Amino acid sequence: MPAILAVTVPFFGLVLCGYLAARLRLMPEATIPGLNAFVLFFALPCMLFRFGASTPVDKLLNPAMLAVWSLAALAIVAFTIRVTRGPHVNLKDAAFGALVAAFPNTGFMGMPLMTALLGAAAAGPMMVTLLIDMFITSSVCLALAQMHDNAHLPLGRRLRNALRGPIGNPQPWAIALGALFSAYGLGLPGPIDRMVELLAGAATPVALFTIGAVLYRAGQHAHSRTAPALFVPVALIKLAVHPALVFGLGSAAIALGAPLSRFELMVLTLAAALPSASNVSLLAERFLADNGRIARIIMTSTVLAFLSFSGLAGLFGATPG
């Protein structure tokens, strides 16, 4: 545990620094979107490209990992909507709640944390989870959310609208470009490679700092108070039910002879135990959903994950790489 905490404490500590910087007005709120854009469109794609270029393509196309993560994500979405939708949570809000229950903070936190904790071998499974969540989990949840406001539109139109976000996000394209370089043994020219390396190196600290700032901003933009009963259970689904389901499905797949190693199952399970994706609060705000509830789910999962994630890593006997 001391070795694991030596990795997790700095990561969660940087999130706290970002939150305090925004709360104490050391960083003006107007600068937060700029930080977010720098990470999303520059630093993080460079980091993902470098991981993709150094990862064998078969690790990104492992059918067992794809199946386990997809089934778990869709099951969590269905379960969360089923247990949370009611008089105080309409379909749109239930869909966004399901998204933060099934979509971990893989890009901004998970990729750098897991590779620091388990070594570069964790990058392949982590990129698999990110691709699935970008194109399947988020698309399904956004399509369900739009059914609340756009029930009159054909299903195909709603699905196309839901896919606009993932298609316009540079993260999956950075992974795909890196995989292409890996498959054909390509490399960037020296000066460009150095520039990409510098941007990739900035991704981790700036992304973690930005998570904290975004969480504070989301709380400030909440227009109503949310009862704990409407957000704490979703955070617990994220941190407990999701990893348990991934581990159960993965163990069953291994028992059936699927090409899934114990190490890959550990990475997938720990990925599911990460806190909710912080940027969903901005997405909920854009769609006029209850972003206050979403922000509280993300905040609760982030705070609790410091203990729950570290504890689960300890149970797996994770050795910092």
Side-chain angles (χ1 to χ4, degrees):
M1 279 304 296
I4 291 171
L5 290 175
V7 174
T8 58
V9 167
F11 276 77
F12 285 90
L14 278 175
V15 175
L16 178 61
C17 287
Y19 181 88
L20 292 176
R23 181 181 179 86
L24 297 175
R25 302 293 192 270
L26 298 175
M27 182 175 63
E29 184 178 322
T31 64
I32 297 175
L35 274 178
N36 196 62
F38 170 75
V39 175
L40 183 61
F41 293 102
F42 294 93
L44 189 56
C46 288
M47 183 183 74
L48 293 174
F49 168 79
R50 287 174 61 83
F51 278 129
S54 61
T55 302
V57 175
D58 61 322
K59 296 295 183 180
L60 297 175
L61 300 176
N62 184 315
M65 284 196 290
L66 292 168
V68 167
W69 192 263
S70 298
L71 287 173
L74 293 176
I76 289 295
V77 167
F79 175 73
T80 305
I81 291 177
R82 177 67 180 84
V83 299
T84 59
R85 189 179 179 189
H88 302 291
V89 180
N90 59 35
L91 178 59
K92 180 197 292 186
D93 295 330
F96 274 103
L99 182 56
V100 288
F103 197 157
N105 205 335
T106 311
F108 277 41
M109 176 183 281
M111 184 68 73
L113 174 57
M114 295 291 284
T115 52
L117 186 64
L118 300 172
M126 291 301 292
M127 286 187 282
V128 169
T129 70
L130 182 59
L131 290 171
I132 292 172
D133 286 334
M134 288 297 303
F135 283 106
I136 298 178
T137 312
S138 61
S139 297
V140 168
C141 290
L142 290 180
L144 291 170
Q146 290 175 5
M147 288 178 64
H148 181 76
D149 294 328
N150 302 319
H152 61 286
L153 294 178
L155 178 61
R157 174 74 177 276
R158 293 198 296 270
L159 289 175
R160 284 196 298 273
N161 290 341
L163 281 170
R164 285 178 183 171
I167 290 175
N169 192 307
Q171 296 177 39
W173 302 116
I175 294 173
L177 184 60
L180 186 66
F181 271 60
S182 173
Y184 290 96
L186 302 175
L188 294 172
I192 296 178
D193 184 59
R194 178 56 178 159
M195 182 177 68
V196 170
E197 181 184 2
L198 288 171
L199 283 169
T204 298
V206 180
L208 295 169
F209 193 88
T210 303
I211 291 172
V214 167
L215 289 176
Y216 176 77
R217 179 190 181 277
Q220 292 300 106
H221 284 253
H223 301 298
S224 61
R225 296 186 62 83
T226 306
L230 297 180
F231 66 87
V232 172
V234 181
L236 296 178
I237 290 173
K238 176 74 212 69
L239 299 179
V241 180
H242 191 196
L245 181 59
V246 169
F247 183 76
L249 289 173
S251 297
I254 291 174
L256 292 173
L260 183 68
S261 70
R262 289 289 175 183
F263 176 81
E264 289 167 337
L265 177 57
M266 176 176 65
V267 174
L268 294 181
T269 305
L270 288 174
L274 289 165
S276 303
S278 56
N279 276 358
V280 177
S281 63
L282 303 178
L283 195 61
E285 185 178 331
R286 187 187 313 164
F287 277 79
L288 302 179
D290 187 353
N291 64 307
R293 173 175 174 263
I294 299 303
R296 288 172 175 83
I297 294 170
I298 298 170
M299 176 67 79
T300 303
S301 70
T302 302
V303 171
L304 295 179
F306 171 65
L307 295 176
S308 62
F309 178 87
S310 300
L312 185 59
L315 287 175
F316 270 114
T319 302

